[in-house]
Amino acid sequence: MFRIPPYHYLHVLDQTTNVTRLETGPQTFVKKDNEMVLSKTEKMVVVPPRHFCVISNPAMTDENKQVLLDNLGQVRLHHAEDEVRLQQVPFPLYPGEEIKVKITLLTVVPALSALRLKVTRDFTDEDNQQRRAGDEMLFEGPGTYIPRKEIEVIGQHKAIIIKPNTAVKLRATRETTDKNGVNRVAGEEWMVKKNGSYLPGVYEEVVVTCTAYFLTDKTAVHVAATQTFTDEKGRQRKSGEEYLITVDDMEAFIPGVYENVIETKGITTLTNRQYCIVVNPVGANGKPQLGAKKLVKGEKSFFLQPGELLENGVQDIFILGENEGIVLKALEAHKDTFANPPVDRKPGDNWMLTGPLEYIPPVEVIVLSTRKAFPLHQNEGIYVRNTNTGKVRAVVGKTYMLQEDEELWEKQLPLIVKTLLSSESHTAADKHYAKEWKNPNKENVQDDTVGDTWDGTKVVTFQVPHNAAVQLYDYKSKMSRVVFGPDLVMLGPDEQFTQLSLSAGNPKKPNMWKAIALWLSPIFTSDVITVETSDHARLQLDLQYNRHFEIEDLTNQVEASKLFCVGDFVGDLCKAMASRIRGAVSSITFDDFHKNSAKIIEVAVFGMNPETRKVRERIKFPANNFVVTSVDIKSVEPVDQRTRDSLLKSVTLAIEITTQSQEAAARREAERHEQESQGKLERQRIEDEATSEKARKKLLALQAESAAIESTGQAKAEAFSRAEAARIEAEAAVQEAKLKAQAHKIETEAELKRMNAAREADIKFALEQNNLEVEKAEKMAKIETDKFNKMVTVLGTKTIQAMASGPQDHQVKMLQSLGLSSTLITDGRTPINLLNTAGGLLGNVGTQP
C-alpha cells in the first residue's frame, strides 16, 4: 500500500499486460500481486512563471489536451521529439517521458541587443511565414524569448552606438534586405552614418567603424576612388580617380565605401617674401598636366591637388643687396620681361643680375648660383678663372664680384708648402730658435688638418721676415724673382715657392729641415765630427760655425738668385769643414792637439794668409755668397776608451797637485790669522774687565741713592693716597646727595605733570561731554519744535481751533437743541461757588441808577 500525497505520482507496471500506467494523488494505492511499482513517489513538475522546461518523448494529446492511449492502454508517445512547456498547473511525467532541459529561467533580451537564432527544421511561425532549416534570424529586444524545438540559439548580438562624426561600414554575408529596405547582395558593402544605435541584421557583418576627418581651413583630405560611384554631392567619381576634400565641401569627412584616404594634407602658405613652383599642376579640366610647371607667388594659401608636387619646396624670393648677384640659366625659350627692355632668351643662355633688387625666377629659368662681392684689402686677393677662355688671373686690393662666366680657381700647392704656410713655427731656413717664435699672422693649425682648412681660392700670401729672402718661380714665363724681407709676397696664378731641404741634427743628416725662406743674418750652425790623430787617438769634436749670407746689391736679381743655387748649403758647409779639420788633425799627435786644438782647427778651417802669415778671418763660398766668420769648439771627447782613461788620469793628477798646493797656502794663511786673532782677543778681554769695574762702581752709587729715594717716596705716597681717598669719598657723598635731590625733583615734577595731565584730561572730557549733551538737547528741542511745527502745519489753524472749541460747541449745540440758554451739570460731590451766579444771571442790578 502506497500513500500518494497531492501533486505527486508514481508509475505502476502491470506484469500481466506489461503495461505501465500513471497513478496520481491524493490517494492510497494498494498494489496488486501482479503489479509492481517502478519508482518511488515523485513530485509533479512545477514550472514557475517566466520559466520553461523541455520534455523528451512527450505524450500525445488530442484537441482537448487529453492524453491518447493505444488499444492496450499504454500512453502514446512522440518518440525522438521534444516539447517546450511553459508555466502551467503541476503535471506528472507519463511513462517514457523525460526532462531533457531542467526548469530554466526564460531569456530576457534587453533593448539594443538581440539573440541570433538558427532554424534546425522546417516550420511555419506565428506570422504564417515558412522557415527553412539553416535559416538564421534575430530576436530583437526588449522582450522575453520563448524557446521552440525547431530553433536553437547560436549567439547574442549587441547594437552598435554610432556617435556624431562616426559611421559603420557593413558587409552583406548573403542576399538580404537592410533596415532601410534596400536589397543587398552577398559581399556588398555600405555605410550607416545615422547617429544613434544600430543593430546589424542577421546577414550583416561590421567591417570597420570609421571616424570622421575634421577639416579646417588649414587641412584637407586626399582621397582615391576604388571604383566608379557617385558621392554625396552627386558628383560621379571614376575608379582610380584622386581628389581633395576641403572645408568648402564639408566640415567633417567620413570616407565612403569606395573611397580610400591616402593622406591628410596641410595647407601651403606663402608670405609676400616667398614663392613656389608647382610641378604637374591641375588644369581647368581637373586633370594634372604632367611635365608642366606653375609659378605661385605669395601672399597666398592653397592646397596641393592630387598629383601636384612642389619643386624644392617653399622658397624665399631672392633679395639681392648692392654687392650681391645671381647667375641664371634659361631652360626654355622665353621673353625675359624682367629686363628693360625685354630680352628673348634661348635655352642654355646664362646671364647675371646684380642688386639691389628682388627677383622671383620664372619656371623657364633656374638659378645656378648666387654671387657675393669679395671685399679685398690691398694685401688680399682671389684667383679667378674665366670658364670660356680658361684664363686664370689674380684680383687683388678691391671689392670684386664674379661674373656669370667666371669662377673661383683653387691654386694647387705642395703639401709641405701648405704646412709651412699654415704652421706657427718660423719658416726661415736653419732658424734654430724657431720653436720659440710664433707667427702672429697664422692660425693654430695642426699639420694633419691643413688639407681641410686650406682655402686655395685666396691669393697665397707670405710675410717675409726681416733679413730673410724668398725665391718665387713663374712656370709660365720661366722667370724667377727673389724677395727680401721685411715684405709681403703674393703668389701669382703660375708662381710657386722655391723649397729648401737642409741638413739638420748633430751630426748632420740630409733633408731634415724644410723651409721656403732663407735667413741671411749671422747665425750659428753646429755639427759633431769624429777625427783621428797621428797616434791613432779618435776624438769627437762638437763644433759651432758662425755664418751668414753676404749680398751687396739687393736689387740685382742675378746676385740674389745665387742664394738659392746650392740646395743644401748647411750640409755642404759641414762636410767641407769636417774634411779640412780631419786632414789637419791627422798629421799631429794627441798631445799637440790637446794643447793647441783651437789654433789647429782655426788654421784648418780658414787657412793662412801667405802675405801676412796670419790666420784668415773668414771663408767665403762664391757659389751662393755664403760666408763663415768663426768656429767655436764646444767640447772634445775621446772616442777610444783607453785614450779617455789616460786623459782622465792626467787631468785628475793635475787637479790633485793644484788642490794640494792650494791647501798648504790656505793652511799657512789660516795659522797667521789665528795668531793675530788671539792677540786681539786678549787685549779686548783686559779692556772689557776695566770697563766692567767702572760700571760696577757706578751701579753701587745708584743703588744707594735709589734706596733713599724709595723710603722717602713711600711715606709721601701713603700720606698723599690717604688724603686723596678722603677727598674722593667726600666728593662722592656730595655728588650722591646732589643726584638724590635731583632724582627726587625729577620724580616730583613728573608726578605733578602726570596729575596736571590727568586733571586736564578729566576737564576736557567733562567739557566735551557737556557740549555733547547741550548739543543733543538743542538737536532734540529743534526736532520737537520741527515736529510740532510740522504737525501744526499739517493740521491747520482751523482744525486746531475746532479741536479746542469742540466740547464747548457741542454743549452749546446740545443746549440749543434742548431750548436752554444756560445749564450747569455737576456730579454732586464737587462744591460749586454760586455766590455770584445770580449776578451773572440777573445782571448788575445794584449798579443801575
Side-chain angles (χ1 to χ4, degrees):
M1 182 175 58
F2 294 90
R3 298 181 186 277
I4 304 175
Y7 300 109
H8 287 71
Y9 69 94
L10 55 78
H11 293 162
V12 179
L13 173 64
D14 188 347
Q15 295 181 355
T16 302
T17 60
N18 203 24
V19 174
T20 303
R21 72 180 184 273
L22 176 70
E23 295 291 339
T24 61
Q27 67 170 330
T28 300
F29 174 71
V30 179
K31 181 174 76 67
K32 297 179 181 180
D33 292 340
N34 62 339
E35 292 178 341
M36 183 179 62
V37 177
L38 298 179
S39 63
K40 63 180 181 179
T41 303
E42 296 183 3
K43 189 176 181 181
M44 293 184 180
V45 179
V46 179
V47 180
R50 302 189 65 79
H51 287 71
F52 75 98
C53 67
V54 178
I55 304 299
S56 180
N57 304 321
M60 295 183 182
T61 59
D62 56 9
E63 293 83 359
N64 298 325
K65 301 296 182 180
Q66 297 297 323
V67 177
L68 300 178
L69 303 176
D70 57 8
N71 53 2
L72 298 177
Q74 179 74 36
V75 177
R76 297 175 63 183
L77 302 176
H78 289 287
H79 293 283
E81 288 286 345
D82 295 332
E83 182 182 349
V84 178
R85 296 181 183 180
L86 303 176
Q87 179 187 359
Q88 54 183 294
V89 296
F91 61 91
L93 292 178
Y94 287 95
E97 290 184 338
E98 297 177 357
I99 296 179
K100 184 177 182 180
V101 178
K102 295 182 179 180
I103 298 173
T104 307
L105 182 66
L106 292 173
T107 302
V108 178
V109 182
L112 304 180
S113 63
L115 292 178
R116 188 180 182 92
L117 309 177
K118 184 177 182 180
V119 179
T120 58
R121 65 176 70 178
D122 298 347
F123 75 99
T124 303
D125 60 9
E126 293 81 359
D127 299 331
N128 200 22
Q129 185 177 356
Q130 184 70 27
R131 300 290 186 180
R132 300 291 182 183
D135 288 347
E136 295 182 3
M137 65 188 75
L138 291 179
F139 179 81
E140 300 183 7
T144 302
Y145 172 67
I146 306 299
R148 291 182 63 101
K149 63 180 180 180
E150 300 89 356
I151 299 175
E152 66 174 347
V153 179
I154 60 176
Q156 185 174 3
H157 289 182
K158 289 186 178 181
I160 299 173
I161 306 300
I162 302 177
K163 299 179 181 179
N165 297 321
T166 59
V168 176
K169 181 187 287 189
L170 302 176
R171 181 188 296 123
T173 58
R174 57 177 286 185
E175 293 184 2
T176 184
T177 302
D178 63 9
K179 293 191 175 181
N180 296 326
V182 181
N183 294 326
R184 304 292 184 181
V185 297
E188 183 180 354
E189 296 181 353
W190 68 96
M191 302 291 292
V192 178
K193 299 181 180 179
K194 184 179 179 180
N195 294 337
S197 62
Y198 181 80
L199 186 63
V202 64
Y203 299 120
E204 298 174 1
E205 64 177 355
V206 178
V207 179
V208 68
T209 300
C210 301
T211 304
Y213 292 87
F214 295 98
L215 306 177
T216 64
D217 54 350
K218 295 183 179 179
T219 57
V221 178
H222 182 190
V223 182
T226 57
Q227 72 179 50
T228 303
F229 73 100
T230 302
D231 62 10
E232 297 178 356
K233 300 295 183 179
R235 289 173 291 189
Q236 186 178 15
R237 302 293 187 182
K238 299 293 184 181
S239 178
E241 179 183 355
E242 296 183 4
Y243 49 94
L244 205 64
I245 304 297
T246 63
V247 71
D248 297 335
D249 300 323
M250 59 189 69
E251 293 182 355
F253 172 68
I254 299 177
V257 178
Y258 307 115
E259 292 178 322
N260 181 27
V261 176
I262 297 177
E263 63 176 342
T264 301
K265 286 193 174 183
I267 195 170
T268 302
T269 303
L270 303 177
T271 65
N272 59 350
R273 318 304 294 169
Q274 292 177 330
Y275 75 97
C276 67
I277 296 177
V278 180
V279 182
N280 304 328
V282 175
N285 58 354
K287 304 296 181 181
Q289 300 176 358
L290 301 179
K293 294 183 180 181
K294 178 183 176 182
L295 177 64
V296 180
K297 302 179 182 179
E299 298 176 354
K300 190 174 184 180
S301 297
F302 63 96
F303 289 102
L304 286 177
Q305 296 298 322
E308 293 182 341
L309 299 174
L310 287 182
E311 187 178 57
N312 300 326
V314 177
Q315 305 178 52
D316 295 331
I317 66 174
F318 292 91
I319 302 176
L320 305 179
E322 184 177 358
N323 293 326
E324 294 178 333
I326 183 172
V327 180
L328 307 174
K329 181 179 181 180
L331 298 177
E332 301 176 9
H334 69 285
K335 176 172 278 189
D336 186 2
T337 58
F338 190 81
N340 189 15
V343 179
D344 292 331
R345 302 292 186 184
K346 296 180 180 180
D349 287 349
N350 292 348
W351 70 98
M352 181 175 178
L353 299 177
T354 57
L357 57 83
E358 296 179 0
Y359 182 71
I360 300 177
V363 295
E364 300 85 3
V365 176
I366 62 171
V367 178
L368 295 180
S369 63
T370 57
R371 299 290 172 85
K372 191 173 183 180
F374 295 92
L376 302 176
H377 187 259
Q378 60 180 358
N379 294 334
E380 295 178 332
I382 57 175
Y383 297 112
V384 179
R385 178 178 177 269
N386 190 299
T387 56
N388 294 329
T389 63
K391 183 178 180 181
V392 180
R393 60 191 180 93
V395 179
V396 180
K398 63 179 180 178
T399 301
Y400 185 77
M401 182 187 300
L402 297 176
Q403 300 301 315
E404 65 271 12
D405 57 349
E406 292 180 340
E407 64 180 2
L408 290 176
W409 181 74
E410 185 174 358
K411 184 176 179 61
Q412 299 297 326
L413 292 177
L415 182 60
I416 184 61
V417 176
K418 293 181 181 179
T419 304
L420 292 173
L421 294 176
S422 303
S423 63
E424 292 183 347
S425 61
H426 203 290
T427 54
D430 200 25
K431 188 67 175 176
H432 64 279
Y433 56 90
K435 294 183 180 180
E436 301 177 358
W437 186 86
K438 302 297 180 181
N439 191 343
N441 298 319
K442 304 300 178 184
E443 299 180 355
N444 187 5
V445 181
Q446 300 296 330
D447 292 343
D448 55 351
T449 60
V450 170
D452 297 334
T453 59
W454 180 264
D455 186 3
T457 60
K458 295 182 179 180
V459 172
V460 180
T461 60
F462 174 66
Q463 294 182 359
V464 183
H466 177 69
N467 207 7
V470 174
Q471 186 181 39
L472 307 176
Y473 184 77
D474 191 335
Y475 286 90
K476 184 176 182 180
S477 62
K478 307 298 182 180
M479 298 291 291
S480 64
R481 60 188 177 99
V482 178
V483 180
F484 295 93
D487 198 356
L488 179 68
V489 174
M490 303 183 73
L491 285 185
D494 302 312
E495 289 183 332
Q496 291 288 348
F497 287 103
T498 298
Q499 303 178 37
L500 297 175
S501 181
L502 307 178
S503 299
N506 287 323
K508 287 292 184 285
K509 297 179 181 180
N511 300 322
M512 293 294 293
W513 186 277
K514 304 293 182 180
I516 58 176
L518 185 63
W519 198 258
L520 303 179
S521 60
I523 194 171
F524 289 98
T525 299
S526 60
D527 191 17
V528 175
I529 63 175
T530 301
V531 297
E532 186 175 356
T533 60
S534 61
D535 52 358
H536 305 291
R538 293 174 57 83
L539 303 176
Q540 181 175 311
L541 306 181
D542 188 357
L543 306 176
Q544 199 170 46
Y545 309 102
N546 188 4
R547 50 83 177 178
H548 66 275
F549 287 92
E550 187 177 79
I551 184 170
E552 298 178 356
D553 188 4
L554 299 179
T555 60
N556 190 346
Q557 289 294 324
V558 176
E559 290 294 325
S561 61
K562 291 182 179 181
L563 299 176
F564 296 89
C565 289
V566 180
D568 186 5
F569 61 89
V570 175
D572 294 346
L573 167 66
C574 295
K575 291 177 181 178
M577 297 296 105
S579 176
R580 293 187 180 189
I581 294 173
R582 289 192 190 98
V585 174
S586 63
S587 60
I588 59 177
T589 62
F590 171 74
D591 293 335
D592 294 339
F593 178 77
H594 184 65
K595 296 177 182 179
N596 305 306
S597 58
K599 183 68 174 177
I600 294 171
I601 291 175
E602 285 183 359
V603 173
V605 170
F606 299 109
M608 298 294 292
N609 190 343
E611 297 178 357
T612 60
R613 306 297 295 176
K614 293 183 179 180
V615 180
R616 294 190 180 95
E617 295 180 354
R618 65 176 191 169
I619 182 174
K620 181 178 181 180
F621 298 91
N624 58 349
N625 295 327
F626 187 61
V627 178
V628 178
T629 57
S630 65
V631 59
D632 179 28
I633 304 174
K634 297 173 64 176
S635 66
V636 178
E637 295 182 1
V639 177
D640 187 14
Q641 186 64 34
R642 291 181 300 173
T643 306
R644 185 178 301 177
D645 294 340
S646 60
L647 179 62
L648 180 61
K649 289 181 180 179
S650 61
V651 172
T652 303
L653 182 60
I655 293 174
E656 288 179 356
I657 294 172
T658 306
T659 303
Q660 290 176 1
S661 62
Q662 291 178 354
E663 287 178 356
R667 189 167 46 253
R668 288 193 299 272
E669 185 70 18
E671 290 176 356
R672 185 179 63 81
H673 284 295
E674 183 179 0
Q675 293 295 330
E676 291 179 354
S677 298
Q678 287 180 357
K680 291 181 179 179
L681 181 62
E682 185 67 20
R683 181 179 178 183
Q684 185 68 31
R685 185 179 64 78
I686 296 170
E687 292 178 355
D688 290 343
E689 288 178 356
T691 305
S692 174
E693 288 297 329
K694 292 180 181 179
R696 185 169 177 275
K697 180 180 178 181
K698 187 176 180 181
L699 176 61
L700 292 175
L702 292 176
Q703 286 178 351
E705 186 179 357
S706 175
I709 294 173
E710 181 179 359
S711 60
T712 305
Q714 184 176 2
K716 183 178 179 181
E718 289 178 356
F720 181 76
S721 61
R722 286 194 294 270
E724 188 67 19
R727 185 183 65 78
I728 291 171
E729 288 178 356
E731 290 180 354
V734 173
Q735 187 68 20
E736 182 179 3
K738 289 182 180 180
L739 294 175
K740 287 182 178 179
Q742 187 176 1
H744 181 68
K745 180 180 178 181
I746 292 171
E747 290 178 356
T748 305
E749 290 178 353
E751 183 65 21
L752 180 61
K753 288 181 180 179
R754 187 187 66 78
M755 293 177 64
N756 291 335
R759 291 190 180 91
E760 288 178 358
D762 294 339
I763 294 171
K764 185 177 180 181
F765 175 74
L767 289 175
E768 291 180 354
Q769 188 174 9
N770 293 336
N771 292 334
L772 291 173
E773 291 179 355
V774 171
E775 185 177 356
K776 180 180 179 182
E778 291 177 353
K779 290 183 178 180
M780 293 299 295
K782 184 177 180 182
I783 291 170
E784 292 295 332
T785 303
D786 294 341
K787 178 181 179 183
F788 181 76
N789 291 334
K790 291 180 180 180
M791 291 175 61
V792 170
T793 303
V794 171
L795 295 175
T797 56
K798 293 181 179 182
T799 304
I800 296 173
Q801 184 178 0
M803 292 173 62
S805 61
Q808 292 79 5
D809 293 342
H810 180 66
Q811 294 176 5
V812 171
K813 291 180 179 180
M814 289 180 61
L815 291 175
Q816 289 177 355
S817 62
L818 295 175
L820 299 177
S821 59
S822 176
T823 182
L824 178 62
I825 301 173
T826 182
D827 55 3
R829 293 190 298 272
T830 302
I832 301 173
N833 187 6
L834 300 176
L835 294 178
N836 296 326
T837 302
L841 296 173
L842 298 177
N844 193 1
V845 179
T847 61
Q848 293 181 0

